[in-house]
Amino acid sequence: MLVNEILINYLHFCFIENISFMRKKIIAGNWKMNMLKDSSIALFDKISSTEIPSNTSVIIIPPAVYIDPLNLANNSKIELGAQNCHSELFGAFTGEISASMLKDLGVNYCLVGHSERRMYFHESDEFLKDKINTLLNENITPIFCCGETLTQREKGEDKITVEKQIKNALFHLDGNVLKQVIIAYEPVWAIGTGKTATPTQAQEMHSFIRELINTKYGREVSSSISILYGGSVKGDNAKELFAQQDIDGGLIGGASLKAEEFITIIHS
Ligand code: PGA
């Protein structure tokens, strides 16, 4: 190999390593269908009182009706996200909320494909793909959730399940657009069960996801994409999970409803 080629490869390697190093940590708290207005504001105030580490983004994802009151009370660096939206911007979809409405409230993030929406509301990959497109058009960052059930893991179908979910909802995007998406790997068997994936199990799936993206889009895209882990993350297991090379933070459910615990996670 010519010296030039070696040098170019080396510089490319340094560049990619740097991107991975620079990926911001993201801690997102998904409050699901919990809290009332006053308790939401009180919890938000407590969380806002902590110093946010400079390499970390904190996103609170409250029930949609509390986005505006929290936004008004927000005088910190915490960002707000939504738990869901429809794929259409306006129209006869009683009970639904659109990406344009979220944008109007200053929301910058929206969950897509959370397993509870897939399970209880039968959201299809096709619908999720449409939501992703709409959110990106509105400049809202989708936090795309994927993950296998316990049965799928026990049958050895965990990776193929996650691969299908990702390919169906995201792989129509251009690489530069995909970079704007956050992926959250949430094994369904770990959500709200107190059974966290071990750091090794989680890292294995995160690195599988990054490799999938690398195969289609190349290292520059795969290294810059943030992949969060979700599923029973707590104050006492966050540090070890977040220390894994391909885990860029967490999507936190239950523990995001307890200020002290969530603050511990932020500082992990
Ligand atoms: P959990 O929920 O932290 O309560 O397991 C995670 C999620 O559903 O996003």
Side-chain angles (χ1 to χ4, degrees):
M1 203 187 274
L2 294 170
V3 176
N4 266 358
E5 264 182 74
I6 295 174
L7 186 65
I8 288 169
N9 281 345
Y10 176 71
L11 289 175
H12 190 67
F13 173 76
C14 293
F15 174 65
I16 297 302
E17 284 300 295
N18 233 351
I19 293 180
S20 344
F21 181 67
M22 282 171 3
R23 279 197 307 267
K24 239 188 165 180
K25 291 281 179 195
I26 299 168
I27 305 296
N30 173 13
W31 288 1
K32 308 194 179 181
M33 197 175 72
N34 292 299
M35 315 294 282
L36 294 173
K37 190 164 102 178
D38 287 349
S39 48
S40 291
I41 294 175
L43 175 60
F44 191 81
D45 282 348
K46 276 194 201 151
I47 295 169
S48 312
S49 68
T50 192
E51 182 91 13
I52 312 270
S54 60
N55 63 340
T56 306
S57 292
V58 176
I59 307 163
I60 295 289
I61 309 177
V65 287
Y66 300 136
I67 290 174
D68 212 29
L70 292 186
N71 224 350
L72 294 175
N74 191 4
N75 54 11
S76 69
K77 290 201 196 97
I78 292 180
E79 297 189 84
L80 284 164
Q83 295 176 16
N84 184 35
C85 74
H86 198 272
S87 59
E88 296 292 327
L89 290 183
F90 295 100
F93 299 99
T94 302
E96 290 296 295
I97 293 168
S98 77
S100 42
M101 294 167 189
L102 297 177
K103 193 78 227 170
D104 199 26
L105 293 184
V107 167
N108 290 325
Y109 300 88
C110 183
L111 296 181
V112 176
H114 190 282
S115 64
E116 285 150 18
R117 301 249 13 130
R118 291 178 192 262
M119 210 171 359
Y120 304 133
F121 302 96
H122 313 289
E123 296 197 351
S124 67
D125 283 351
E126 198 56 36
F127 188 37
L128 301 181
K129 178 176 163 185
D130 290 346
K131 287 192 200 199
I132 298 264
N133 291 340
T134 307
L135 284 164
L136 288 166
N137 277 337
E138 292 296 298
N139 279 322
I140 296 176
T141 301
I143 304 178
F144 177 73
C145 306
C146 55
E148 79 287 357
T149 61
L150 186 59
T151 319
Q152 286 163 332
R153 178 163 279 261
E154 283 172 350
K155 282 200 213 152
E157 292 172 359
D158 44 338
K159 292 206 173 85
I160 189 92
T161 302
V162 169
E163 178 172 347
K164 225 167 99 193
Q165 291 169 338
I166 289 182
K167 284 187 170 167
N168 287 347
L170 299 178
F171 272 19
H172 62 289
L173 298 171
D174 283 345
N176 275 334
V177 179
L178 183 70
K179 279 201 247 171
Q180 295 161 40
V181 175
I182 295 170
I183 295 177
Y185 167 60
E186 299 204 298
V188 180
W189 49 271
I191 296 179
T193 57
K195 261 199 234 165
T196 324
T198 63
T200 313
Q201 281 174 320
Q203 165 59 26
E204 195 185 326
M205 186 61 90
H206 280 235
S207 117
F208 171 75
I209 294 172
R210 210 177 292 287
E211 232 11 75
L212 260 184
I213 298 169
N214 176 39
T215 307
K216 177 158 166 78
Y217 293 97
R219 200 48 83 192
E220 202 245 316
V221 175
S222 70
S223 308
S224 48
I225 220 156
S226 292
I227 309 177
L228 314 183
Y229 169 79
S232 296
V233 177
K234 302 269 183 301
D236 59 9
N237 60 23
K239 215 177 190 120
E240 222 191 325
L241 284 161
F242 300 165
Q244 303 301 310
Q245 195 187 338
D246 290 295
I247 300 185
D248 304 310
L251 178 55
I252 326 293
S256 69
L257 297 169
K258 298 171 201 144
E260 271 179 31
E261 180 121 27
F262 192 60
I263 287 172
T264 306
I265 295 172
I266 292 173
H267 292 282
S268 301

mmCIF file of all heavy atoms in Angstrom, residues 33-68:
data_model
loop_
_atom_site.group_PDB
_atom_site.id
_atom_site.type_symbol
_atom_site.label_atom_id
_atom_site.label_comp_id
_atom_site.label_asym_id
_atom_site.label_seq_id
_atom_site.Cartn_x
_atom_site.Cartn_y
_atom_site.Cartn_z
ATOM 1 N N MET A 33 -48.303 8.079 30.308
ATOM 2 C CA MET A 33 -49.581 8.722 30.684
ATOM 3 C C MET A 33 -49.623 8.880 32.206
ATOM 4 O O MET A 33 -50.459 8.289 32.884
ATOM 5 C CB MET A 33 -50.760 7.889 30.175
ATOM 6 C CG MET A 33 -52.075 8.655 30.147
ATOM 7 S SD MET A 33 -53.412 7.693 29.413
ATOM 8 C CE MET A 33 -53.730 6.472 30.665
ATOM 9 N N ASN A 34 -48.682 9.668 32.733
ATOM 10 C CA ASN A 34 -48.589 9.874 34.182
ATOM 11 C C ASN A 34 -48.555 11.364 34.489
ATOM 12 O O ASN A 34 -48.260 12.168 33.624
ATOM 13 C CB ASN A 34 -47.314 9.207 34.715
ATOM 14 C CG ASN A 34 -47.403 7.695 34.627
ATOM 15 O OD1 ASN A 34 -48.275 7.073 35.227
ATOM 16 N ND2 ASN A 34 -46.538 7.085 33.829
ATOM 17 N N MET A 35 -48.842 11.680 35.740
ATOM 18 C CA MET A 35 -48.777 13.040 36.283
ATOM 19 C C MET A 35 -50.021 13.871 35.925
ATOM 20 O O MET A 35 -50.724 13.572 34.983
ATOM 21 C CB MET A 35 -47.547 13.815 35.787
ATOM 22 C CG MET A 35 -46.232 13.082 35.791
ATOM 23 S SD MET A 35 -45.689 12.687 37.440
ATOM 24 C CE MET A 35 -45.080 14.258 37.936
ATOM 25 N N LEU A 36 -50.244 14.910 36.779
ATOM 26 C CA LEU A 36 -51.252 15.925 36.477
ATOM 27 C C LEU A 36 -50.490 17.243 36.340
ATOM 28 O O LEU A 36 -49.276 17.287 36.552
ATOM 29 C CB LEU A 36 -52.302 15.981 37.591
ATOM 30 C CG LEU A 36 -53.157 14.704 37.688
ATOM 31 C CD1 LEU A 36 -54.074 14.741 38.909
ATOM 32 C CD2 LEU A 36 -53.986 14.495 36.415
ATOM 33 N N LYS A 37 -51.209 18.310 36.009
ATOM 34 C CA LYS A 37 -50.490 19.546 35.651
ATOM 35 C C LYS A 37 -49.551 20.039 36.756
ATOM 36 O O LYS A 37 -48.354 20.262 36.501
ATOM 37 C CB LYS A 37 -51.485 20.647 35.264
ATOM 38 C CG LYS A 37 -50.788 21.855 34.667
ATOM 39 C CD LYS A 37 -51.747 22.747 33.942
ATOM 40 C CE LYS A 37 -52.091 23.944 34.785
ATOM 41 N NZ LYS A 37 -52.991 24.877 34.092
ATOM 42 N N ASP A 38 -50.070 20.154 37.979
ATOM 43 C CA ASP A 38 -49.229 20.728 39.037
ATOM 44 C C ASP A 38 -48.033 19.833 39.356
ATOM 45 O O ASP A 38 -46.912 20.314 39.549
ATOM 46 C CB ASP A 38 -50.055 20.970 40.313
ATOM 47 C CG ASP A 38 -50.994 22.157 40.116
ATOM 48 O OD1 ASP A 38 -50.834 22.878 39.099
ATOM 49 O OD2 ASP A 38 -51.889 22.362 40.962
ATOM 50 N N SER A 39 -48.306 18.515 39.411
ATOM 51 C CA SER A 39 -47.178 17.617 39.735
ATOM 52 C C SER A 39 -46.164 17.583 38.584
ATOM 53 O O SER A 39 -44.955 17.428 38.818
ATOM 54 C CB SER A 39 -47.671 16.208 40.082
ATOM 55 O OG SER A 39 -48.588 15.743 39.135
ATOM 56 N N SER A 40 -46.637 17.772 37.353
ATOM 57 C CA SER A 40 -45.716 17.823 36.203
ATOM 58 C C SER A 40 -44.767 18.998 36.345
ATOM 59 O O SER A 40 -43.553 18.873 36.169
ATOM 60 C CB SER A 40 -46.469 18.027 34.893
ATOM 61 O OG SER A 40 -47.210 16.918 34.569
ATOM 62 N N ILE A 41 -45.357 20.155 36.668
ATOM 63 C CA ILE A 41 -44.533 21.369 36.782
ATOM 64 C C ILE A 41 -43.549 21.220 37.946
ATOM 65 O O ILE A 41 -42.373 21.572 37.830
ATOM 66 C CB ILE A 41 -45.421 22.628 36.922
ATOM 67 C CG1 ILE A 41 -46.200 22.826 35.608
ATOM 68 C CG2 ILE A 41 -44.589 23.874 37.245
ATOM 69 C CD1 ILE A 41 -47.220 23.951 35.626
ATOM 70 N N ALA A 42 -44.051 20.644 39.068
ATOM 71 C CA ALA A 42 -43.170 20.481 40.228
ATOM 72 C C ALA A 42 -41.995 19.546 39.897
ATOM 73 O O ALA A 42 -40.840 19.848 40.229
ATOM 74 C CB ALA A 42 -43.972 19.930 41.408
ATOM 75 N N LEU A 43 -42.282 18.431 39.214
ATOM 76 C CA LEU A 43 -41.215 17.487 38.847
ATOM 77 C C LEU A 43 -40.237 18.150 37.871
ATOM 78 O O LEU A 43 -39.017 18.039 38.009
ATOM 79 C CB LEU A 43 -41.834 16.233 38.210
ATOM 80 C CG LEU A 43 -40.870 15.179 37.662
ATOM 81 C CD1 LEU A 43 -39.962 14.639 38.770
ATOM 82 C CD2 LEU A 43 -41.627 14.011 37.020
ATOM 83 N N PHE A 44 -40.796 18.862 36.913
ATOM 84 C CA PHE A 44 -39.960 19.530 35.907
ATOM 85 C C PHE A 44 -39.028 20.546 36.583
ATOM 86 O O PHE A 44 -37.841 20.629 36.257
ATOM 87 C CB PHE A 44 -40.871 20.219 34.886
ATOM 88 C CG PHE A 44 -40.149 20.719 33.671
ATOM 89 C CD1 PHE A 44 -39.833 19.844 32.639
ATOM 90 C CD2 PHE A 44 -39.782 22.043 33.549
ATOM 91 C CE1 PHE A 44 -39.163 20.290 31.501
ATOM 92 C CE2 PHE A 44 -39.114 22.496 32.420
ATOM 93 C CZ PHE A 44 -38.808 21.618 31.396
ATOM 94 N N ASP A 45 -39.594 21.295 37.546
ATOM 95 C CA ASP A 45 -38.787 22.296 38.263
ATOM 96 C C ASP A 45 -37.635 21.640 39.010
ATOM 97 O O ASP A 45 -36.515 22.135 39.011
ATOM 98 C CB ASP A 45 -39.659 23.074 39.262
ATOM 99 C CG ASP A 45 -40.491 24.128 38.545
ATOM 100 O OD1 ASP A 45 -40.210 24.391 37.355
ATOM 101 O OD2 ASP A 45 -41.434 24.661 39.163
ATOM 102 N N LYS A 46 -37.935 20.500 39.657
ATOM 103 C CA LYS A 46 -36.878 19.806 40.416
ATOM 104 C C LYS A 46 -35.778 19.335 39.466
ATOM 105 O O LYS A 46 -34.591 19.501 39.745
ATOM 106 C CB LYS A 46 -37.463 18.590 41.140
ATOM 107 C CG LYS A 46 -38.087 18.944 42.470
ATOM 108 C CD LYS A 46 -38.323 17.663 43.280
ATOM 109 C CE LYS A 46 -39.379 17.934 44.337
ATOM 110 N NZ LYS A 46 -40.156 16.766 44.694
ATOM 111 N N ILE A 47 -36.193 18.755 38.344
ATOM 112 C CA ILE A 47 -35.192 18.250 37.392
ATOM 113 C C ILE A 47 -34.372 19.416 36.824
ATOM 114 O O ILE A 47 -33.151 19.335 36.679
ATOM 115 C CB ILE A 47 -35.866 17.430 36.260
ATOM 116 C CG1 ILE A 47 -36.517 16.175 36.850
ATOM 117 C CG2 ILE A 47 -34.863 17.042 35.180
ATOM 118 C CD1 ILE A 47 -37.432 15.425 35.900
ATOM 119 N N SER A 48 -35.073 20.541 36.561
ATOM 120 C CA SER A 48 -34.376 21.707 35.976
ATOM 121 C C SER A 48 -33.343 22.296 36.918
ATOM 122 O O SER A 48 -32.476 23.040 36.488
ATOM 123 C CB SER A 48 -35.352 22.831 35.651
ATOM 124 O OG SER A 48 -36.434 22.359 34.973
ATOM 125 N N SER A 49 -33.492 21.988 38.219
ATOM 126 C CA SER A 49 -32.588 22.632 39.175
ATOM 127 C C SER A 49 -31.177 22.038 39.104
ATOM 128 O O SER A 49 -30.231 22.595 39.637
ATOM 129 C CB SER A 49 -33.129 22.491 40.596
ATOM 130 O OG SER A 49 -33.063 21.124 40.954
ATOM 131 N N THR A 50 -31.031 20.906 38.423
ATOM 132 C CA THR A 50 -29.686 20.311 38.367
ATOM 133 C C THR A 50 -28.878 20.914 37.218
ATOM 134 O O THR A 50 -29.431 21.329 36.197
ATOM 135 C CB THR A 50 -29.745 18.765 38.215
ATOM 136 O OG1 THR A 50 -28.442 18.254 38.444
ATOM 137 C CG2 THR A 50 -30.213 18.324 36.855
ATOM 138 N N GLU A 51 -27.596 20.933 37.418
ATOM 139 C CA GLU A 51 -26.674 21.397 36.365
ATOM 140 C C GLU A 51 -26.600 20.306 35.301
ATOM 141 O O GLU A 51 -26.337 19.144 35.623
ATOM 142 C CB GLU A 51 -25.308 21.593 37.019
ATOM 143 C CG GLU A 51 -24.231 22.118 36.123
ATOM 144 C CD GLU A 51 -24.172 23.645 36.147
ATOM 145 O OE1 GLU A 51 -24.795 24.272 37.042
ATOM 146 O OE2 GLU A 51 -23.509 24.178 35.263
ATOM 147 N N ILE A 52 -26.844 20.664 34.037
ATOM 148 C CA ILE A 52 -26.774 19.641 32.987
ATOM 149 C C ILE A 52 -25.324 19.564 32.486
ATOM 150 O O ILE A 52 -24.770 20.583 32.069
ATOM 151 C CB ILE A 52 -27.698 20.011 31.793
ATOM 152 C CG1 ILE A 52 -29.081 20.423 32.280
ATOM 153 C CG2 ILE A 52 -27.705 18.914 30.741
ATOM 154 C CD1 ILE A 52 -30.096 19.388 32.424
ATOM 155 N N PRO A 53 -24.713 18.371 32.514
ATOM 156 C CA PRO A 53 -23.338 18.257 32.015
ATOM 157 C C PRO A 53 -23.235 18.765 30.572
ATOM 158 O O PRO A 53 -24.166 18.575 29.773
ATOM 159 C CB PRO A 53 -23.062 16.748 32.075
ATOM 160 C CG PRO A 53 -24.072 16.201 33.018
ATOM 161 C CD PRO A 53 -25.264 17.087 32.959
ATOM 162 N N SER A 54 -22.107 19.380 30.239
ATOM 163 C CA SER A 54 -22.001 20.083 28.950
ATOM 164 C C SER A 54 -22.113 19.145 27.743
ATOM 165 O O SER A 54 -22.527 19.554 26.680
ATOM 166 C CB SER A 54 -20.690 20.855 28.877
ATOM 167 O OG SER A 54 -19.645 19.928 29.005
ATOM 168 N N ASN A 55 -21.769 17.870 27.900
ATOM 169 C CA ASN A 55 -21.840 16.956 26.742
ATOM 170 C C ASN A 55 -23.167 16.194 26.698
ATOM 171 O O ASN A 55 -23.282 15.173 26.039
ATOM 172 C CB ASN A 55 -20.683 15.948 26.813
ATOM 173 C CG ASN A 55 -20.810 15.072 28.049
ATOM 174 O OD1 ASN A 55 -21.494 15.430 29.008
ATOM 175 N ND2 ASN A 55 -20.176 13.911 28.029
ATOM 176 N N THR A 56 -24.171 16.684 27.432
ATOM 177 C CA THR A 56 -25.429 15.930 27.559
ATOM 178 C C THR A 56 -26.644 16.779 27.175
ATOM 179 O O THR A 56 -26.717 17.943 27.537
ATOM 180 C CB THR A 56 -25.596 15.466 29.029
ATOM 181 O OG1 THR A 56 -24.436 14.765 29.416
ATOM 182 C CG2 THR A 56 -26.808 14.587 29.219
ATOM 183 N N SER A 57 -27.566 16.164 26.425
ATOM 184 C CA SER A 57 -28.867 16.813 26.180
ATOM 185 C C SER A 57 -29.903 16.094 27.028
ATOM 186 O O SER A 57 -29.946 14.856 27.037
ATOM 187 C CB SER A 57 -29.306 16.646 24.732
ATOM 188 O OG SER A 57 -28.487 17.369 23.890
ATOM 189 N N VAL A 58 -30.725 16.869 27.715
ATOM 190 C CA VAL A 58 -31.808 16.268 28.499
ATOM 191 C C VAL A 58 -33.131 16.644 27.841
ATOM 192 O O VAL A 58 -33.397 17.810 27.565
ATOM 193 C CB VAL A 58 -31.763 16.745 29.967
ATOM 194 C CG1 VAL A 58 -32.945 16.180 30.748
ATOM 195 C CG2 VAL A 58 -30.455 16.326 30.626
ATOM 196 N N ILE A 59 -33.929 15.621 27.581
ATOM 197 C CA ILE A 59 -35.221 15.843 26.921
ATOM 198 C C ILE A 59 -36.309 15.274 27.824
ATOM 199 O O ILE A 59 -36.229 14.111 28.244
ATOM 200 C CB ILE A 59 -35.282 15.111 25.552
ATOM 201 C CG1 ILE A 59 -34.073 15.487 24.687
ATOM 202 C CG2 ILE A 59 -36.583 15.403 24.824
ATOM 203 C CD1 ILE A 59 -33.839 14.526 23.516
ATOM 204 N N ILE A 60 -37.306 16.090 28.145
ATOM 205 C CA ILE A 60 -38.455 15.589 28.903
ATOM 206 C C ILE A 60 -39.610 15.399 27.922
ATOM 207 O O ILE A 60 -39.919 16.282 27.117
ATOM 208 C CB ILE A 60 -38.862 16.587 30.017
ATOM 209 C CG1 ILE A 60 -37.745 16.717 31.062
ATOM 210 C CG2 ILE A 60 -40.186 16.187 30.669
ATOM 211 C CD1 ILE A 60 -37.559 15.515 31.955
ATOM 212 N N ILE A 61 -40.235 14.237 28.035
ATOM 213 C CA ILE A 61 -41.321 13.889 27.103
ATOM 214 C C ILE A 61 -42.599 13.672 27.919
ATOM 215 O O ILE A 61 -42.919 12.549 28.318
ATOM 216 C CB ILE A 61 -40.928 12.630 26.285
ATOM 217 C CG1 ILE A 61 -39.522 12.832 25.668
ATOM 218 C CG2 ILE A 61 -41.964 12.332 25.213
ATOM 219 C CD1 ILE A 61 -38.977 11.642 24.906
ATOM 220 N N PRO A 62 -43.327 14.751 28.178
ATOM 221 C CA PRO A 62 -44.513 14.640 29.034
ATOM 222 C C PRO A 62 -45.749 14.279 28.198
ATOM 223 O O PRO A 62 -45.676 14.264 26.970
ATOM 224 C CB PRO A 62 -44.664 16.074 29.565
ATOM 225 C CG PRO A 62 -44.159 16.918 28.440
ATOM 226 C CD PRO A 62 -43.104 16.116 27.718
ATOM 227 N N PRO A 63 -46.881 14.011 28.846
ATOM 228 C CA PRO A 63 -48.126 13.877 28.079
ATOM 229 C C PRO A 63 -48.343 15.174 27.288
ATOM 230 O O PRO A 63 -48.001 16.265 27.765
ATOM 231 C CB PRO A 63 -49.195 13.729 29.165
ATOM 232 C CG PRO A 63 -48.455 13.182 30.349
ATOM 233 C CD PRO A 63 -47.092 13.799 30.287
ATOM 234 N N ALA A 64 -48.912 15.060 26.091
ATOM 235 C CA ALA A 64 -48.992 16.213 25.181
ATOM 236 C C ALA A 64 -49.678 17.431 25.799
ATOM 237 O O ALA A 64 -49.281 18.573 25.546
ATOM 238 C CB ALA A 64 -49.715 15.794 23.908
ATOM 239 N N VAL A 65 -50.687 17.196 26.653
ATOM 240 C CA VAL A 65 -51.421 18.338 27.211
ATOM 241 C C VAL A 65 -50.561 19.176 28.163
ATOM 242 O O VAL A 65 -50.928 20.308 28.496
ATOM 243 C CB VAL A 65 -52.704 17.917 27.968
ATOM 244 C CG1 VAL A 65 -53.775 17.469 26.995
ATOM 245 C CG2 VAL A 65 -52.418 16.832 28.997
ATOM 246 N N TYR A 66 -49.437 18.621 28.602
ATOM 247 C CA TYR A 66 -48.575 19.378 29.528
ATOM 248 C C TYR A 66 -47.347 19.978 28.847
ATOM 249 O O TYR A 66 -46.499 20.574 29.509
ATOM 250 C CB TYR A 66 -48.158 18.493 30.715
ATOM 251 C CG TYR A 66 -49.357 18.005 31.497
ATOM 252 C CD1 TYR A 66 -49.457 16.693 31.918
ATOM 253 C CD2 TYR A 66 -50.420 18.872 31.767
ATOM 254 C CE1 TYR A 66 -50.579 16.243 32.599
ATOM 255 C CE2 TYR A 66 -51.546 18.427 32.443
ATOM 256 C CZ TYR A 66 -51.622 17.112 32.852
ATOM 257 O OH TYR A 66 -52.736 16.689 33.514
ATOM 258 N N ILE A 67 -47.253 19.813 27.541
ATOM 259 C CA ILE A 67 -46.083 20.375 26.846
ATOM 260 C C ILE A 67 -46.068 21.891 27.003
ATOM 261 O O ILE A 67 -45.044 22.484 27.368
ATOM 262 C CB ILE A 67 -46.087 19.985 25.349
ATOM 263 C CG1 ILE A 67 -45.788 18.487 25.203
ATOM 264 C CG2 ILE A 67 -45.063 20.814 24.564
ATOM 265 C CD1 ILE A 67 -45.916 17.953 23.794
ATOM 266 N N ASP A 68 -47.203 22.519 26.763
ATOM 267 C CA ASP A 68 -47.219 23.990 26.786
ATOM 268 C C ASP A 68 -46.972 24.558 28.185
ATOM 269 O O ASP A 68 -46.108 25.427 28.340
ATOM 270 C CB ASP A 68 -48.527 24.503 26.180
ATOM 271 C CG ASP A 68 -48.290 25.830 25.475
ATOM 272 O OD1 ASP A 68 -47.154 26.039 24.986
ATOM 273 O OD2 ASP A 68 -49.214 26.657 25.443
#
